[in-house]
Amino acid sequence: MRPPVLRRLLAGLAALALLFAWAAPAQAAAKAKVDFFVKSYTLAPGSSALIYTLLFADRPLPVASNAVSLKYELINQPAAFTLQEAGHPNNCSVDIADLLELTCGPMVDRLTPEGVDSGVVGYVQVAEGATAGQTATLSATMTVKGYAPVRRTAKIVVGEGVTLTAVDPEKERSAAPGATIDTPLTITNSSTVPAQGTAIVASAQYAFQSRTQFSNCSYLEGVLTSCVFPQTLAPGVTYRVTLPMRVRQDTAAPSEQYAGWQWMTDEEFADFRQYVLKGGFGRLGAAGKGGVLRLTEVTTAKAGPPQAVTGYTSHGMKLTVTGEQSTDLAAVGVTARGKKGAVVTVPVGLRNNGPAALDRSRVNPGWPTVRFYVPNGATAVKVPELCAPMASSGKVDETRRGEPGELRYSCDFYNLLKVGGTLSFDFGLRMDKVVTGARGAVAVGAPAEELNKANNTAAVVINPPVAAPGGSGGSGGGGGLPITGPAAAGLVAVGLLLVLGGAGAFLLTRRRS
């Protein structure tokens, strides 16, 4: 190849390299996509419902205060439908003139792919004289500062009012781990019209394990979440369904566990389910693979207008778990490295070694807590919202959760920690001073019944000493995370082009010599 030709080739390669180098950062800086979802409703005449709205972004997107607004409108809809606020002060304001426009300021500081509840306190309401089957379209517009407005709609349907009355709505029982606790739920159709299809939505703790999983019900980790009964309940007749359950074998004892079951029509459940599938109200889980769970005294279901219950109908149960079964909680420490001025993420927490699971989703005893002691030379600049400053005396300032700059923190949790599970809190530590082997600690705050006090503390070590050649060093290390994804592919291409260019330059130099 002649030198001028090679020079032109190298120039082309260099231009491509610059193109890739420019394109990769541009792709990384692409703007997030934002969206939202408004729940649809089936409402009885004379009733109203809180407007549940989920806000999304295709990646975690922090937003400033007042950077997000929502406007709900009923445009050219039947007069039976109106909007309402909850009074002042509040985060929604209704147009008093006609009650057809509601402007709200969501109480959020970030949007996420999973969706965040807007926290708006606004209502859609149906007039007393509304007719079953009437529908309206609720138009909604979300505006995020720096983004184009997004518009979505929800469907509001007037359902024929039915009254379901719970018989023995509150129950109390005692049982040991592993015991059978089959639970009957009994309701009466107190309406003058048949109830043409009903459903229950369950809210039960991990201890309530289903012994049989039915095909018309949903389950999450063995716990019933919902059932749909496509049956007609005659006016004035009482019906019963029995839920086959046991106390899960690894339930802590003694303890208190709670469950609740809310009744609704099948049309109301369809609205509820759509919202859950978008990320609201938790998860329903998969359908069971057994037979069909049915209400007793069933008649053939008949077609009719949509229906909605006229009041809140539910059953609740308090279960006192007897016996003695605690658990071993082990502190989980960490070793990390960082240069002066760098912010290092340090995950600290605890592991449940069993034999009992801990469920704090309903009952929240004062343990366990994770206590973190910041290593010397570091400052906590990023603190989880569930962590609050703790004085040397052990007193926790609950009013300053998530506040940076303290030496000690106490962190709570309010969910389920199964046997073998790990609970972790990520702190961001700024390296103000590089101290070789700087030590902090993580400790488990637990009462006397915790089984093993020997593993309740663990070390947090920053910049441990480097092992001598041939020895074994500590965990962690310098350098950043590996670059992956489309931007990395561009950088790899840049490197390849530069390598090719270098090879060509070497050949050109060699030929000249």
Side-chain angles (χ1 to χ4, degrees), residues 37-45 47-54 70 72 74 77 80-84 102 117-126 130-140 153-160 262 264-276 280-281 306-309:
F37 179 82
V38 183
K39 184 180 181 294
S40 294
Y41 293 90
T42 303
L43 298 174
S47 65
S48 63
L50 186 69
I51 303 174
Y52 282 107
T53 306
L54 289 173
L70 287 166
Y72 304 92
L74 291 167
Q77 301 300 313
F81 300 90
T82 54
L83 301 172
Q84 190 55 268
L102 184 71
D117 190 327
S118 67
V120 300
V121 188
Y123 298 85
V124 59
Q125 53 190 14
V126 175
T131 304
Q134 278 188 292
T135 63
T137 298
L138 177 63
S139 300
T153 61
K155 187 177 181 181
I156 315 299
V157 179
V158 179
E160 182 180 43
Q262 181 187 350
M264 59 185 67
T265 69
D266 51 359
E267 285 98 350
E268 290 173 312
F269 179 77
D271 297 333
F272 174 86
R273 184 174 181 276
Q274 284 302 312
Y275 191 69
V276 169
F281 303 137
Q307 294 180 322
V309 295

Side-chain angles (χ1 to χ4, degrees), residues 20-31:
F20 273 107
W22 173 84
Q27 185 177 29
K31 206 171 187 179

Side-chain angles (χ1 to χ4, degrees), residues 192-241:
T192 58
V193 297
Q196 299 169 8
T198 57
I200 56 171
V201 173
S203 176
Q205 289 186 262
Y206 185 65
F208 294 86
Q209 184 179 28
S210 294
R211 296 193 299 108
T212 304
Q213 298 192 12
F214 298 94
S215 59
N216 59 320
C217 301
S218 298
Y219 302 85
L220 196 60
E221 296 189 292
V223 179
L224 176 72
T225 58
S226 68
C227 289
V228 178
F229 306 103
Q231 308 165 216
T232 297
L233 279 60
V237 179
T238 299
Y239 296 83
R240 175 174 295 163
V241 62

